[in-house]
Amino acid sequence: MKNKVIAICYDFDHTLSPCDMQSISIIPSFGISSEEFWKESNKMAKLNGMDTNLAWMYKIMIYSHMLDKSTTRKSFFEIGKTIPLYKGLDTWFDNINQYGLDKGLTVEHYVISSGLKEIIEGTSIASKITRIYASTYLYSSDGVAIWPAQAVNYTNKTQFLFRISKGYFDECDSRVNDLVSQDKVHVPFENMIYIGDSATDIPCMKLVKKYGGCSIGVYDTTKNNPSVVGKLFDDGRLSCFAPANYEKGSDLYNKVCEVIDSKA
């Protein structure tokens, strides 16, 4: 086997965490509800032909400046420490890595999220992730957010799959557009697993599945039934779906192990 790497790529909100990361600490500190914040943000995006991610990043800066709230890299990192994660994630990465090694494969983990990179970096699982691709701010020399540096939305998420596949990992590396032969790629698409939860993941789900990889939908059993990912499966976007339980022996764990078996 020429390519002995398996890449598991994850969305974050409602895939690894049961919530929207902005709703944990940032939005409540503004004294408004999450519903009100997102309504304002989406309205501004619609009125101005604006990317919805740039809109919420702008709104966070405006509210923070008005209310004298911190927007430093450090403050976002600290919020990350409070983000709840789904059951089993504290051991998931080590368990899956070992399972891959037992089959002669190296497993790498990537997050591709529209959320804030600095918050994800503060979570307890950040050290287990090979690379985090997410929205991020440009920071001043004092570490204060002054401008969006990267806005990741549901369609441009797919570029990071190509970066991972070709091994051109830096966000600004233009070689991602270069033609790379199949025997030279870092991870062929058929060795990719994409795990997501909703329609915003469709471009990535479809791309990975189309080229021989596996797309898995997850859902929170405490909040809803699998109707959303069930529809994505019925529409041909997903290879399969399972509850967002990352414990060893769970349905999701077994499905990922089955994929690893098939590649080994």
Side-chain angles (χ1 to χ4, degrees), residues 121-168:
E121 289 175 336
T123 64
S124 59
I125 61 172
S127 63
K128 303 293 185 180
I129 299 168
T130 307
R131 194 174 183 107
I132 298 169
Y133 293 109
S135 301
T136 185
Y137 287 107
L138 170 67
Y139 293 89
S140 69
S141 57
D142 296 324
V144 178
I146 57 176
W147 195 262
Q150 185 79 240
V152 177
N153 60 39
Y154 64 96
T155 50
N156 70 20
K157 274 186 174 185
T158 56
Q159 69 159 302
F160 302 110
L161 295 177
F162 285 103
R163 293 190 182 283
I164 293 164
S165 177
K166 295 181 180 182
Y168 299 141

Side-chain angles (χ1 to χ4, degrees), residues 97-249:
N97 291 349
Q98 187 59 54
Y99 191 90
L101 287 174
D102 291 343
K103 300 292 182 176
L105 300 172
T106 298
V107 181
E108 296 177 348
H109 305 270
Y110 298 88
V111 166
I112 306 175
S113 170
S114 295
L116 203 57
K117 182 178 183 179
E118 289 75 20
I119 291 180
I120 300 172
E121 289 175 336
T123 64
S124 59
I125 61 172
S127 63
K128 303 293 185 180
I129 299 168
T130 307
R131 194 174 183 107
I132 298 169
Y133 293 109
S135 301
T136 185
Y137 287 107
L138 170 67
Y139 293 89
S140 69
S141 57
D142 296 324
V144 178
I146 57 176
W147 195 262
Q150 185 79 240
V152 177
N153 60 39
Y154 64 96
T155 50
N156 70 20
K157 274 186 174 185
T158 56
Q159 69 159 302
F160 302 110
L161 295 177
F162 285 103
R163 293 190 182 283
I164 293 164
S165 177
K166 295 181 180 182
Y168 299 141
F169 300 108
D170 291 344
E171 288 87 342
C172 296
D173 194 333
S174 62
R175 291 179 298 170
V176 69
N177 296 314
D178 290 356
L179 182 64
V180 179
S181 62
Q182 188 71 355
D183 62 329
K184 296 290 180 62
V185 298
H186 178 64
V187 186
F189 272 92
E190 58 262 33
N191 283 17
M192 283 190 181
I193 301 170
Y194 185 86
I195 302 178
D197 69 282
S198 68
T200 59
D201 297 302
I202 285 176
C204 287
M205 291 171 171
K206 185 176 179 179
L207 181 65
V208 169
K209 186 171 181 285
K210 178 180 179 181
Y211 289 106
C214 178
S215 292
I216 303 176
V218 294
Y219 62 96
D220 188 336
T221 57
T222 67
K223 294 181 179 179
N224 52 43
N225 57 43
S227 59
V228 174
V229 290
K231 185 177 187 308
L232 293 177
F233 177 78
D234 291 341
D235 290 343
R237 315 291 194 176
L238 296 174
S239 308
C240 57
F241 58 92
N245 180 349
Y246 293 83
E247 292 179 301
K248 190 172 185 178

Side-chain angles (χ1 to χ4, degrees), residues 92 96 99 193 214 216 240 242-243 245-262:
W92 165 265
I96 290 296
Y99 191 90
I193 301 170
C214 178
I216 303 176
C240 57
N245 180 349
Y246 293 83
E247 292 179 301
K248 190 172 185 178
S250 68
D251 190 19
L252 178 60
Y253 177 87
N254 291 336
K255 288 182 186 302
V256 170
C257 289
E258 287 173 10
V259 176
I260 293 174
D261 288 343
S262 70

Side-chain angles (χ1 to χ4, degrees), residues 48-66:
N48 294 280
M50 190 176 186
D51 181 272
T52 54
N53 282 49
L54 285 172
W56 70 251
M57 294 176 78
Y58 174 81
K59 276 291 186 182
I60 283 177
M61 292 185 68
I62 292 300
Y63 267 112
S64 297
H65 291 163
M66 286 191 328

